Amino acid sequence: MARIEWAFYALIPTFILLHLWVSPYTKVEESFNIQAIHDILIHGVPNENADQFFTANYDHMSFPGSVPRTFVGALVLSGLSRPFVWLLNSPAQLQFLVRAILGLLNAVALVAFGRSIAKIFGKSAGIWFALFQASQFHVIYYASRTLPNMFAFIFTNVALRGLVNAHAASFDGKSISRSYRLSLYLLTFAGVVFRSELALLVATITLYLLATRSLSIVGVIIPAGLAGAVIGLLTTVLVDSFFWQSTPLWPEWTAFYYNTIQGHSADWGVSPWHFYFVNALPRLMMNPITYLFCIPAALLPAATRTRSLDLLVPALAFVGLFSFLPHKEWRFVIYVTPALTAVAATGASWIWTRRGKTWLYAALSLALVGSVLLSFVASTTLLAISSLNYPGGEGIHYLHKNIDSAYGVHWDHTNVYFDNLACQTGVTRFLENHEGPQTIVDILEAQDLLSKRKWTYDKTEDPEVLLDPMFWSKFHYVLAENPAKIIGAWSTVHVVYGFGGVRILKPGEESGSLVEPLDVVARTRVADEHWTKKVAQLWRMAEGLVRYRFLRGYWVEVRMEPKIRILENQALYS
């Protein structure tokens, strides 16, 4: 039984790595940490002349963002990755490694939490937790992504494990206090360092424990809160004051003040109060049976009701309080997903163990199995579609791999410009060509840096600079969403496609072209082997096998459209 149980838990890290392999590029929300990890690993951390070193080499000095973010997660992940660098052949592989380590850390935390669920609610509940969790797209897809939320996610899951473990020590008061103290400490630390919204989760858990347990404020709550706050503050202020060269600096307070107190978060959009309950949480849970049937089923039996409420009430209270903030994103409440999934797994276990008693339990058990299978199918479909949303990453990969070798063009030095869409959809410093000087030591030793470095890159956003024809004349290649904005004589050498939407086809309706016709200028070179075309072929094959045999002629058409053009400067040939 133990081996079978671990086979189910193994689904979580397996699917996290599978999602990473299928979709290896990053989005703009992940950019700060992924660029910071690159700079730490490639350039190192200076012992002296830190300001000069950071200005010359680190991305955050050129693109600081609206508010500073913490380097703590990037520094730790860099340290964990460094022992494995010698196994890799390129910085692009290093980006994959870094994300894999983060994903596996989240997987370990999720599995540890699942094992605690099995200890309290039974092995069957642990297995259902693993099945539900592995088939949830958002948690699995984002577990390896360097969002601050996913660094905090490790701590929140370990903290939830501590809350659950407190029940296993029901006859040992010291063990109970220790488990609660550890949970509140970890949540406080993560809130201080990574995501300030966790303060609300600390509050809802603390108030719930005070209302339902004989919990010592002096012996548990105050020591845990103080330790988490003090150690968190010392960690983030020391690390971030150094990397940002600003003393003292507490990034999460700066972000909280900017986004919440000053209200700038609303600049990114405002959602209705009920968004998290009717939109975000259903999407995060993925499987509707989990919250429509399984969670209620966990609350019905007296044996599981109290312990289920211990997870459910603080989690939903946190979401309810957080709903008062106008700007809402699902990643702000992702921390409660494992708790809700655990309660759902408890209900699923209760239904499953009674499948032989009545036809109702048998039907519900069959529905559970079917819903998990459908969730895996839906999650895999979302993975395939989501992987098409990174034209910037595809573009820079194509540029380095094909331009010189395929077209017989070779420059001693190649200068490339990335526009905003390319930077937002996958371009990172890991994917740049790293031949030539990379650190300030190289810069000081090289009389002419540009003549030494093989490839250089530019991400200038200043609109006045972009209107200067001389600015564009120095580039060999440009990755651009709109070629009309690029000044000079340019030709399109490659077009990168991206996801263009879906539409439901009714019986008798023919699907259109999955890849729209290209409208490009002379010297167009489009690689037939581009992997989006392979996705198109697989999708058409699935349509032929499934649409009329099982779906009565209905189908979902996935459309691709040109997103980024790789432009070549024609003035270089004159």
Side-chain angles (χ1 to χ4, degrees):
M1 179 63 181
R3 291 183 180 179
I4 296 176
E5 188 181 359
W6 275 106
F8 285 102
Y9 288 123
L11 291 173
I12 295 176
T14 299
F15 274 85
I16 287 175
L17 294 179
L18 174 65
H19 282 59
L20 168 59
W21 182 74
V22 173
S23 185
Y25 301 119
T26 62
K27 277 286 184 70
V28 63
E29 294 89 351
E30 309 156 52
S31 62
F32 171 78
N33 278 304
I34 202 69
Q35 305 287 45
I37 294 167
H38 164 275
D39 294 340
I40 293 170
L41 284 173
I42 299 299
H43 302 310
V45 179
N47 294 321
E48 55 185 17
N49 299 323
D51 186 65
Q52 182 186 7
F53 187 95
F54 291 139
T55 301
N57 295 294
Y58 273 52
D59 186 80
H60 73 289
M61 289 298 188
S62 302
F63 302 93
S66 55
V67 292
R69 287 298 182 185
T70 182
F71 270 83
V72 172
L75 187 62
V76 172
L77 200 52
S78 300
L80 293 175
S81 305
R82 188 169 292 280
F84 305 99
V85 171
W86 66 275
L87 296 171
L88 308 175
N89 295 321
S90 69
Q93 293 179 359
L94 184 55
Q95 175 172 301
F96 188 94
L97 169 69
V98 165
R99 287 190 51 197
I101 291 175
L102 176 60
L104 291 175
L105 289 173
N106 273 306
V108 168
L110 285 169
V111 169
F113 179 55
R115 293 286 295 163
S116 294
I117 295 300
K119 184 188 300 183
I120 300 301
F121 296 103
K123 291 182 179 180
S124 176
I127 290 174
W128 281 108
F129 174 83
L131 287 171
F132 288 154
Q133 196 68 77
S135 61
Q136 289 174 356
F137 170 74
H138 286 83
V139 169
I140 300 299
Y141 187 75
Y142 283 88
S144 67
R145 298 189 171 275
T146 55
L147 293 163
N149 311 78
M150 301 320 296
F151 287 102
F153 196 60
I154 301 170
F155 290 87
T156 59
N157 283 316
V158 177
L160 288 174
R161 179 177 180 267
L163 293 177
V164 172
N165 284 342
H167 297 296
S170 56
F171 298 102
D172 185 347
K174 290 184 178 180
S175 296
I176 292 174
S177 297
R178 191 182 305 116
S179 294
Y180 286 142
R181 194 159 47 237
L182 175 63
S183 297
L184 295 176
Y185 161 74
L186 291 173
L187 287 172
T188 304
F189 177 88
V192 169
V193 176
F194 295 109
R195 293 299 306 183
S196 58
E197 66 261 20
L198 289 177
L200 278 180
L201 187 57
V202 173
T204 58
I205 290 175
T206 301
L207 290 175
Y208 181 82
L209 291 176
L210 285 173
T212 60
R213 303 286 190 274
S214 299
L215 199 63
S216 170
I217 295 178
V218 176
V220 176
I221 295 175
I222 292 178
L226 282 176
V230 171
I231 295 176
L233 275 172
L234 287 175
T235 301
T236 186
V237 170
L238 290 175
V239 169
D240 295 310
S241 295
F242 172 71
F243 278 97
W244 286 96
Q245 291 293 289
S246 176
T247 304
L249 178 65
W250 178 13
E252 268 312 293
W253 165 253
T254 305
F256 175 79
Y257 182 81
Y258 178 83
N259 289 315
T260 305
I261 297 179
Q262 293 186 326
H264 286 289
S265 64
D267 297 342
W268 302 101
V270 175
S271 300
W273 186 91
H274 53 74
F275 171 82
Y276 287 132
F277 291 101
V278 303
N279 188 307
L281 288 181
R283 278 199 296 160
L284 288 169
M285 296 294 289
M286 192 75 182
N287 186 342
I289 286 184
T290 57
Y291 50 87
L292 294 178
F293 293 99
C294 293
I295 289 179
L299 300 178
L300 289 176
T304 59
R305 184 184 305 129
T306 300
R307 291 174 178 177
S308 295
L309 288 173
D310 288 344
L311 290 172
L312 197 61
V313 172
L316 294 181
F318 162 73
V319 176
L321 290 174
F322 208 58
S323 295
F324 286 100
L325 292 179
H327 177 63
K328 299 175 178 64
E329 295 184 34
W330 60 262
R331 61 190 177 96
F332 296 160
V333 297
I334 195 173
Y335 321 108
V336 305
T337 308
L340 300 181
T341 304
V343 178
T346 303
S349 174
W350 190 77
I351 293 170
W352 181 256
T353 55
R354 287 159 179 77
R355 64 188 181 279
K357 292 187 176 183
T358 66
W359 67 267
L360 179 60
Y361 287 123
L364 287 174
S365 297
L366 184 62
L368 277 172
V369 174
S371 70
V372 169
L373 293 175
L374 287 176
S375 292
F376 275 113
V377 171
S379 182
T380 303
T381 302
L382 287 174
L383 169 61
I385 292 174
S386 298
S387 68
L388 305 177
N389 281 318
Y390 301 87
E394 294 285 345
I396 189 173
H397 174 75
Y398 183 91
L399 180 69
H400 291 146
K401 182 179 179 181
N402 295 289
I403 292 296
D404 285 356
S405 59
Y407 310 129
V409 179
H410 177 73
W411 310 101
D412 292 333
H413 168 75
T414 305
N415 203 5
V416 182
Y417 176 80
F418 302 126
D419 77 352
N420 189 50
L421 181 63
C423 292
Q424 289 190 12
T425 58
V427 167
T428 69
R429 287 192 165 190
F430 276 113
L431 302 184
E432 295 177 357
N433 185 299
H434 286 71
E435 294 181 68
Q438 294 296 321
T439 69
I440 196 165
V441 175
D442 301 315
I443 293 171
L444 294 175
E445 291 178 353
Q447 293 182 350
D448 185 355
L449 172 62
L450 294 181
S451 67
K452 298 290 184 180
R453 187 169 290 180
K454 300 296 184 182
W455 290 70
T456 55
Y457 305 87
D458 195 298
K459 299 183 289 186
T460 299
E461 296 176 328
D462 189 333
E464 293 186 5
V465 174
L466 298 181
L467 292 176
D468 182 3
M470 294 302 296
F471 171 78
W472 297 104
S473 64
K474 63 185 178 183
F475 296 110
H476 297 79
Y477 297 101
V478 169
L479 272 65
E481 178 183 13
N482 185 0
K485 294 183 178 181
I486 311 303
I487 300 173
W490 300 83
S491 68
T492 301
V493 297
H494 184 67
V495 178
V496 182
Y497 289 92
F499 178 64
V502 298
R503 75 182 178 106
I504 304 297
L505 297 179
K506 298 179 180 179
E509 278 190 300
E510 295 296 325
S511 60
S513 173
L514 196 69
V515 179
E516 294 183 355
L518 299 181
D519 178 20
V520 296
V521 295
R523 298 183 66 220
T524 297
R525 309 154 182 163
V526 180
D528 292 333
E529 72 276 6
H530 193 261
W531 93 279
T532 54
K533 294 194 173 183
K534 295 181 181 179
V535 172
Q537 293 171 355
L538 291 173
W539 198 260
R540 289 197 181 99
M541 186 183 301
E543 179 182 6
L545 293 173
V546 175
R547 182 177 181 184
Y548 291 100
R549 291 186 182 183
F550 302 102
L551 300 179
R552 298 182 179 180
Y554 287 93
W555 190 243
V556 177
E557 180 185 47
V558 179
R559 296 192 63 81
M560 300 292 291
E561 60 186 25
K563 292 291 185 179
I564 289 177
R565 270 82 171 178
I566 299 180
L567 308 177
E568 187 176 58
N569 193 345
Q570 291 304 288
L572 300 175
Y573 295 96
S574 58

